[in-house]
């Protein structure tokens, strides 16, 4: 009799791969990277702005929503309530913290053309002004994936969900972060978005947030990601053609 080989189960992890380069993130880190990109897209900011924000968050918190830091620093960007960035509760809201970062970033003259570490330092006023540069390449890779410029770049290997965010709440999160309003159809969200990149940004956001939301399947155009515990099972695969900018997100139990 032949032997049955049990597939190797991978710990929860998200992988971002662009042009042969890849990086791994814990699910919460991927979630925060997706949020930073989504807020930038909603605000109409270029990918370079998202890269700067991601590099800053990588340096300040390693993309973790920290409840502590130097003196009274908090959150993804280690912003300080005492310096007028917001209340402690606001700074631990990743969307608010990202908005606050971008508010300051866009006021930096020539921020799109100046060195990343110089611009980040103008916003953050860190004691380590050159530290942001070390994260630029990784941040650029993440920005390409989470802004939708690179389809199928984001995958996550996750266990079966123990809880699920209601579809209405998931739609509200997409509206708040990315600025899109998918239709709610039972336990699914569907929509035809305004561009291919926006559709892939939404799909990548849904995959990255799946650990929190309980999403089990994401379809963008003719590609499908299905939640699973092996790296092979969670690759984007060919599916039915649904239109180049079509999106479907499911949280149904399988």
């Amino acid at each position: 009799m032949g032997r049955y080989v049990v597939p190797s189960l991978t710990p929860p992890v998200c992988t971002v791969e662009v042009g042969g380069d890849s990086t791994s993130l814990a699910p919460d880190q991927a979630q925060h990277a997706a949020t930073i990109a989504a807020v930038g897209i909603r605000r109409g900011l270029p990918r370079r702005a998202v890269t700067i924000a991601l590099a800053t968050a990588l340096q300040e918190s390693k993309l973790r929503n920290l409840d502590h830091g130097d003196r009274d620093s908090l959150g993804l960007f280690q912003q300080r309530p005492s310096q007028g960035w917001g209340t402690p509760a606001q700074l631990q809201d990743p969307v608010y913290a990202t908005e606050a970062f971008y508010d300051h970033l866009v006021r930096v003259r020539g921020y799109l053309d100046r060195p990343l570490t110089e611009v980040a330092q103008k916003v953050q006023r860190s004691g380590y002004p050159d530290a942001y540069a070390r994260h630029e390449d990784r941040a650029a890779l993440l920005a390409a994936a989470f802004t939708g410029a690179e389809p199928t770049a984001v995958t996550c290997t996750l266990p079966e969900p123990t809880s699920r965010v209601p579809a209405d709440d998931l739609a509200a999160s997409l509206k708040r972060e990315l600025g899109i309003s998918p239709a709610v159809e039972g336990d699914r969200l569907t929509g035809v978005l305004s561009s291919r990149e926006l559709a892939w940004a939404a799909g990548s956001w849904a995959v990255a947030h799946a650990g929190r939301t309980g999403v089990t399947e994401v379809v963008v155009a003719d590609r499908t990601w299905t939640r699973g515990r092996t790296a092979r099972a969670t690759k984007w695969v060919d599916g039915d053609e649904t239109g180049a900018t079509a999106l479907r997100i499911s949280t149904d139990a399988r």
Side-chain angles (χ1 to χ4, degrees):
M1 295 178 62
R3 292 188 303 166
Y4 176 73
V5 178
V6 178
S8 176
L9 300 182
T10 303
V13 66
C14 295
T15 302
V16 179
E17 184 171 355
V18 175
D21 295 323
S22 66
T23 189
S24 295
L25 299 169
D28 67 310
Q29 292 175 306
Q31 174 185 320
H32 296 142
T35 291
I36 289 169
V39 173
I41 292 168
R42 173 170 52 75
R43 292 175 63 122
L45 297 176
R47 196 199 311 175
R48 176 66 174 173
V50 175
T51 299
I52 296 167
L54 286 166
T56 303
L58 282 164
Q59 169 59 27
E60 297 289 357
S61 68
K62 298 182 180 178
L63 287 171
R64 306 280 191 183
N65 191 21
L66 300 178
D67 62 359
H68 60 277
D70 179 47
R71 288 172 281 189
D72 60 339
S73 299
L74 292 168
L76 288 175
F77 296 94
Q78 289 291 278
Q79 295 149 328
R80 298 180 60 192
S82 64
Q83 300 301 307
W85 283 92
T87 67
Q90 287 173 327
L91 298 182
Q92 288 206 267
D93 172 358
V95 177
Y96 177 94
T98 301
E99 295 272 23
F101 179 85
Y102 285 134
D103 284 345
H104 285 73
L105 175 65
V106 297
R107 297 187 194 124
V108 177
R109 187 184 298 274
Y111 77 92
L112 292 176
D113 302 314
R114 293 165 67 175
L116 181 148
T117 198
E118 179 182 310
V119 173
Q121 174 62 7
K122 285 284 187 183
V123 176
Q124 298 294 105
R125 303 187 183 280
S126 168
Y128 303 93
D130 298 321
Y132 305 102
R134 73 183 70 163
H135 303 287
E136 183 165 1
D137 289 347
R138 191 181 187 203
L141 184 151
L142 295 175
F146 285 111
T147 60
E150 294 288 339
T152 72
V154 180
T155 60
C156 291
T157 304
L158 301 165
E160 287 298 308
T162 57
S163 63
R164 291 174 173 82
V165 170
D168 286 335
D169 292 346
L170 184 57
S173 292
L174 276 165
K175 174 68 173 177
R176 184 183 183 219
E177 297 192 19
L178 190 56
I180 65 172
S181 300
V184 178
E185 301 175 358
D187 51 19
R188 290 185 175 184
L189 306 183
T190 61
V192 176
L193 303 187
S194 60
S195 70
R196 172 179 171 274
E197 285 198 0
L198 184 59
W200 277 105
S204 297
W205 182 97
V207 172
H209 280 260
R212 173 183 68 85
T213 61
V215 163
T216 54
E217 183 183 77
V218 180
V219 178
V220 182
D222 61 348
R223 306 303 295 275
T224 300
W225 172 86
T226 303
R227 188 186 189 112
R229 293 190 65 186
T230 66
R232 175 179 292 182
T234 57
K235 294 290 186 183
W236 289 88
V237 298
D238 291 339
D240 296 333
E241 177 60 56
T242 58
T245 63
L247 171 72
R248 186 176 76 232
I249 301 169
S250 302
T251 61
D252 57 316
R254 294 172 295 170

